[in-house]
Amino acid sequence: QVQVVESGGGLVQAGGSLRLSCAASGSIFSINDMGWYRQAPGKQRELVAGITGGGRTNYADSVKGRFTVSRDNTKNTVYLQMNSLKAEDTAVYYCYVLYGRTYWGQGTQVTVSS
């Protein structure tokens, strides 16, 4: 089994920054993809950013140039650095880990006040 725990959400003013972290633990040999989805009230969950085991990244158009996803394979941890935050970035952010199947974190709230 794989456990996924997120941290780093909170309340920030528009234009500010936050950094999310997500650590996977358990009987893990080598994780494939990791990344982040988000879900705003009344909207579907959407991919924000992902990173492969080899370090290839992909981003939603809405966050390109503002968000950066990275990972530390020695710690089985993925990060999401969010800069120039906007009110429309307000959502619950979910970490995912692809290891045989997809594992999800519990979600962390990000609220951006305008």
Side-chain angles (χ1 to χ4, degrees):
Q1 282 291 338
V2 175
Q3 295 78 45
V4 179
V5 178
E6 302 143 344
S7 61
L11 173 64
V12 64
Q13 288 189 332
S17 298
L18 280 176
R19 188 191 195 210
L20 305 183
S21 300
C22 171
S25 61
S27 300
I28 299 172
F29 175 65
S30 179
I31 296 176
N32 295 322
D33 296 358
M34 306 178 78
W36 299 88
Y37 275 72
R38 69 185 179 187
Q39 187 165 21
K43 294 187 177 181
Q44 289 188 328
R45 190 175 294 193
E46 63 173 355
L47 176 67
V48 177
I51 184 167
T52 68
R56 181 174 298 179
T57 59
N58 64 291
Y59 296 92
D61 288 343
S62 60
V63 307
K64 284 180 180 177
R66 300 187 298 121
F67 290 11
T68 303
V69 62
S70 60
R71 63 190 284 172
D72 184 338
N73 291 330
T74 66
K75 298 179 180 179
N76 292 323
T77 299
V78 63
Y79 306 95
L80 185 67
Q81 178 66 44
M82 304 184 292
N83 299 328
S84 301
L85 282 160
K86 305 175 181 179
E88 50 263 44
D89 295 318
T90 295
V92 178
Y93 284 69
Y94 296 92
C95 171
Y96 71 90
V97 172
L98 183 59
Y99 186 72
R101 47 156 282 197
T102 303
Y103 295 87
W104 294 94
Q106 77 283 2
T108 185
Q109 178 70 46
V110 171
T111 302
V112 183
S113 62
S114 56

